Structure formats: C-alpha cells, structure tokens
Amino acid sequence: MRFQKSLTAAIILSFFIGFGLFADEALDWIGGFSSAELEMSEEVEDQEKVYYLWQLESLKKNIAPRYIRYIDVESYLSTSKLMNRGILFTYNGLRDETVELCGNFSHWECKEMKRNQYGIYYIVLDPELKMENDEDDPIYEYKFRVDGLLTYDTENSDRFEDGSGSYISRFVLSGKDTNRQTSSLVLSDSPNEERDLRTVRFQIYLPEAEVVRVVGSFNDWNPENDFLKKDRKGIFSLDKKLLPGEYHYQFIVDGEYMLDTYNPNVHLKIDTNESVSTIVVPDRLVALDRKK
C-alpha cells in the first residue's frame, strides 16, 4: 500500500512539473514571497492559486494572515490528502526560541508554530471556526505568544484594544473558496465537551440542494434521524456527539445518496456493496475532568 502511494505521489509530482505548475510564477516564491504577493490585498487575492509546502518553508518575510490552498506531496503518503487548505499565520522570530498562536479558535489555548531556516514561524490553521450566528463570516481573534509573552500581529492592521494597553489582532475569513471544499471533521474540544464523547461536524457544500440528511453506522442508517441545517453560503451542517471509533456514512441530498465530496476516506459497505465515506473519531490525548 505504501509503495502504491509513493508511486502515486511521484506520478502526481511529475504531472505538476510536466505541466508547468512549478514554472515562473511558482518559482517566484523560492526564498520568499514575491513583491507582488506581499502587496496584494485581501480583496484582490487570487483564491484559485495553489501553493506548495516547500514555499511556506522558504518564507523570508512575515505577512498578514490569509487563506491559502497548498499541496503537500510528502504528507499524502500518510494521510491520502494531497490538497490542503487553511489560514496562514506568520511571525518573524529570528531571535526568538518559541512562538505560538493563541486565539478564540482554540479557546485561547496556544498552538506551536513551526520555524523555518530564515527565522519565520508559520502555521496553517484549519478553517473550522463557526460563529454563534451561522450567517456571519468567521472572525479569528488572536495573539502570538513569543517566548512566553503575548503580543499582537504587527503585520495585520485589523486589531482592537485588549484593555491591557496592547491589542488583539483579528482576521475575517470571508466567503472565498473555503466553502466548496468543506467536508466532515472532528472538532477541537470545548470547555463544555462531554467526558466520553467527541463532537463531529458533518458538513457539505451544496448551494443548490433543498434537503440534506446524513445516515451512517452511528444512527443505524436511518434517514429520518439527522437533518442538516443550511447556512447562507450553501453549507449544510450538523454537529453530533460520538464515542471514539470509526464510522461510515453517506449524505442523502434531495433523495439521492452521495459520498462526502471532499473526504478522501472511502470504504466499501459489505452488505450493500456501496461506497461510503469514513470518519475516524480519535481518543483524546488528554482526559477531560469529570463534570460536576
């Protein structure tokens, strides 16, 4: 299996090279962002552009956060996921030992950032934040923790006072191409999470659909149990509490069964000989305190 994936990755890489995806525009990234890229505003940024992991590892300058899509051939061998997406955060920490990203997207628990050879720390954050009002665009409020001290993002002009003489930076994820690649996922734990359960968000982008339901091994494939709610962006979603384990599922879209489009994990359902999407709910690495 690993040999097959390695071969596939090599073929994909050869395909990209053969068709010029590593051509002048991409090579302009080697060693850092081009001046055009740095001067590009959020309003005009080309969301169809796809970057590569090695470009992130070659950044020489920190920039304001932005939504990106990038290809990681190496991780494909272990994840079966070639196209990745998320919000890129960067910090210039050439003289700093550790830099972390903290924000409302993780209940202000800090996430370690990776440092490249030029002293630029970076992290690509999964765009999974949901607002209380699903109609609103997600707002990411954040700070960097640099060698233990919190500071705001000097490259991002969108900020507000934190009441302590400093600022909280923020990034608004407007409806770019974040929607169409939406797929189901296991959410990070919240302070109110059930002790033995994890929250799974079943979601799919279907702006033209009217009614979407999810059936699976978690509800005995009953089409009357779980209906998804549609937001103004065309994303249907439903949060369910599930025990750790592997679950198979399908969506029913206006009466037609279909797979989770951007979930690459697909298995064969033996009794019906149908392809089904699969999601794995992992055990927690750290146990939650029992609720009082």
Side-chain angles (χ1 to χ4, degrees):
M1 178 62 72
R2 183 173 179 83
F3 172 77
Q4 291 177 337
K5 286 187 176 181
S6 300
L7 181 60
T8 303
I11 293 173
I12 292 172
L13 186 60
S14 299
F15 175 84
F16 290 156
I17 295 173
F19 280 85
L21 294 182
F22 289 146
D24 294 340
E25 185 173 311
L27 292 175
D28 196 26
W29 266 60
I30 293 180
F33 284 99
S34 67
S35 58
E37 180 72 27
L38 284 167
E39 295 166 1
M40 190 174 290
S41 71
E42 290 296 324
E43 287 74 24
V44 300
E45 187 174 349
D46 180 9
Q47 292 303 310
E48 295 303 317
K49 194 171 182 179
V50 178
Y51 301 114
Y52 308 90
L53 181 62
W54 55 264
Q55 292 173 319
L56 303 184
E57 294 173 343
S58 300
L59 294 175
K60 285 185 176 180
K61 297 180 180 180
N62 56 315
I63 56 173
R66 64 192 60 195
Y67 176 85
I68 66 167
R69 296 186 297 152
Y70 67 98
I71 291 171
D72 182 0
V73 176
E74 183 177 348
S75 70
Y76 172 77
L77 301 177
S78 58
T79 66
S80 299
K81 184 179 179 182
L82 185 65
M83 180 70 72
N84 298 270
R85 63 195 179 91
I87 305 165
L88 174 65
F89 294 87
T90 61
Y91 182 86
N92 188 343
L94 183 61
R95 297 178 177 85
D96 302 306
E97 294 296 326
T98 62
V99 179
E100 299 166 290
L101 180 69
C102 321
N104 63 336
F105 43 82
S106 61
H107 308 288
W108 290 95
E109 292 186 8
C110 298
K111 297 176 178 286
E112 184 178 359
M113 300 177 70
K114 184 176 180 180
R115 175 182 171 134
N116 71 13
Q117 60 181 321
Y118 301 107
I120 300 298
Y121 287 83
Y122 68 92
I123 187 173
V124 180
L125 197 68
D126 288 337
E128 62 183 44
L129 181 66
K130 298 280 282 190
M131 306 302 289
E132 289 185 8
N133 180 0
D134 286 341
E135 300 294 309
D136 295 336
D137 289 327
I139 299 175
Y140 290 75
E141 299 176 357
Y142 68 99
K143 284 191 173 190
F144 297 116
R145 186 161 69 182
V146 183
D147 291 339
L149 300 177
L150 290 171
T151 185
Y152 63 94
D153 188 348
T154 57
E155 293 296 322
N156 184 3
S157 60
D158 190 353
R159 63 179 77 113
F160 59 93
E161 293 183 0
D162 65 359
S164 301
S166 186
Y167 298 95
I168 294 176
S169 301
R170 73 172 206 159
F171 172 73
V172 180
L173 181 61
S174 57
K176 300 176 180 177
D177 83 338
T178 59
N179 300 331
R180 65 168 177 255
Q181 295 186 50
T182 297
S183 64
S184 302
L185 73 161
V186 180
L187 300 184
S188 300
D189 288 333
S190 71
N192 299 320
E193 196 64 79
E194 298 289 341
R195 183 173 183 271
D196 298 321
L197 301 174
R198 303 294 302 273
T199 301
V200 178
R201 176 164 295 156
F202 293 96
Q203 55 184 0
I204 190 167
Y205 176 63
L206 293 168
E208 305 301 322
E210 295 293 332
V211 179
V212 176
R213 294 167 283 179
V214 62
V215 295
S217 52
F218 47 81
N219 66 6
D220 294 327
W221 302 92
N222 188 333
E224 303 301 325
N225 278 1
D226 295 311
F227 288 78
L228 281 67
K229 180 181 178 181
K230 185 179 185 180
D231 67 17
R232 67 179 177 86
K233 302 174 185 177
I235 298 176
F236 286 82
S237 64
L238 172 71
D239 289 356
K240 287 188 68 68
K241 304 286 188 180
L242 299 176
L243 291 168
E246 182 176 277
Y247 297 92
H248 306 301
Y249 66 100
Q250 290 176 310
F251 291 116
I252 306 177
V253 181
D254 294 335
E256 299 292 330
Y257 284 77
M258 66 174 292
L259 297 172
D260 190 345
T261 311
Y262 283 95
N263 181 353
N265 297 319
V266 178
H267 289 81
L268 187 67
K269 191 169 180 283
I270 302 300
D271 56 340
T272 61
N273 202 32
E274 292 180 300
S275 293
V276 293
S277 297
T278 300
I279 189 167
V280 176
V281 180
D283 290 308
R284 288 190 180 89
L285 297 179
V286 179
L288 295 180
D289 292 334
R290 183 181 295 276
K291 288 187 175 181
K292 296 181 180 179

